Amino acid sequence: MLSKFQKQLSENLPFLKEKKLLLAISGGIDSVVLATLLKQLDYDVSLAHCNFRLRWNESDEDENFIRNFASESGLKLYVTAFDTNSFAKDNKLSIQVAARQLRYIWFHQLLQENQLDYILTAHHLDDNLETFLINFTRGTGLEGLTGIPVQNDKIIRPLLHFSREEIQEFASENKIEWREDSSNSSDKYLRNKLRHDIVPILKSLNPSFLNSFQATLNHLQQAKSLAEDASVLVYKQVVTEKEGQKFFRLFDLKRLPNYEAYLFEWLQPFGFRAWKDISDLTEAQSGKFILSENYRLLKDRDFLVLEEISIGDLNSYEIEENSEIYLPIKLKISTVSELNRQTDSNTIYVDKEKLKFPLTIRKWQEGDYFCPAGIDGKKKVSKYFKDEKLSLSKKESVWLLFSENQLVWIIGKRQDRRFYIEKTTTQVLKIELL
């Protein structure tokens, strides 16, 4: 494997030889083998280990193992520890996403502070297969089927063309020790389930399955490159840029075969990912829009207009009778003839005559109150949040629906009784969070 690895680096990553490298090392077989290979080939490599404190004593034992490995190998080592559970909870993230964010923030800090050039990770061909299958099972476009890139800016994956079996053989032949992560044996996570149950079946059906998979990835990557080239050429025929705005001419756009695919490709870099929302907007009424974190895509007569927005633009929204808005949330108001008694917290029914349009959607402000059922008088929204034990981030994510200055609905949570349906009600409006 050493000679094959050396050839791989020489042909595809020759610039690494003169660079200062930072290897993310967990203590598992993949990262320990990569460290060993780089050391044997005399690359300038340092190690970085994260203790995520997720597996009690095991995490500390992993750290001690890495410290001994670095000392015996004569490699410089950086170590840090994270309270991953707290970070995940505070930021409403899964443990896996939280750990990923924490480690890559730290890795990039190490690059800057120590004048290092690249971060190396030990992802290999089996990892690429598992990622492909995860994206495939969840539904994805061509982007999700082209695999993990060998290089993504400062992150490089030198083992991506090597199988898990090759890595294990090298470790066995060279009597390399490593740490086994106990969580890898659990089928709690989709990746592990694929690794333990699905991939072995695929390999049994075709002994050269990984080679076939690598060839398929190459074909998909070439197809993606071809599609990107085509999108650049078509873009010039459809889009006009003026004063920081992009105008997509719908007449020219819709003449294209598969125009939705072009549109999605152009809008992805601006944070738009919801394919159906983008497609629906082309047929929507003028004035409808969707938002990404920093951009608004607006339907304006014969155009879709893409423009950058600031936080100040996002304070409040108006919604008319019998209409629908897409963002900041998907909310629909419609007139109905009867009530569905089996509703949930995402739907309310109100007396239309008690409302004054346009209604307003905004975030809560100090002093906001409503009149909930079951109590006399009114209650501050801040007190309701406290009683519901909502975190600060959760409070900030809640939207309120107002009729003039009266709160109609803490959207998705609690309705104001002042707008309830009564026996004398003649017109009923259904308001639903889609």
Side-chain angles (χ1 to χ4, degrees), residues 239-302:
V239 184
T240 301
E241 299 184 8
K242 183 179 179 181
E243 297 179 353
Q245 295 177 312
K246 299 180 189 295
F247 295 84
F248 298 81
R249 296 185 296 277
L250 288 173
F251 177 77
D252 293 329
L253 179 70
K254 291 183 178 180
R255 294 174 63 188
L256 298 170
N258 304 313
Y259 72 85
E260 295 98 335
Y262 282 110
L263 194 56
F264 188 68
E265 180 71 21
W266 296 330
L267 293 173
Q268 277 193 91
F270 300 96
F272 294 93
R273 298 287 187 271
W275 191 308
K276 188 176 187 304
D277 287 350
I278 294 171
S279 180
D280 289 348
L281 194 61
T282 64
E283 304 295 335
Q285 296 177 355
S286 186
K288 299 291 185 182
F289 61 88
I290 59 176
L291 299 175
S292 67
E293 183 175 355
N294 298 307
Y295 291 87
R296 174 190 288 115
L297 185 65
L298 170 71
K299 172 70 177 294
D300 186 9
R301 290 168 293 183
D302 298 325

Side-chain angles (χ1 to χ4, degrees), residues 70 161 163 213 244 262 428:
H161 294 291
S163 69
F213 169 68
Y262 282 110
V428 177

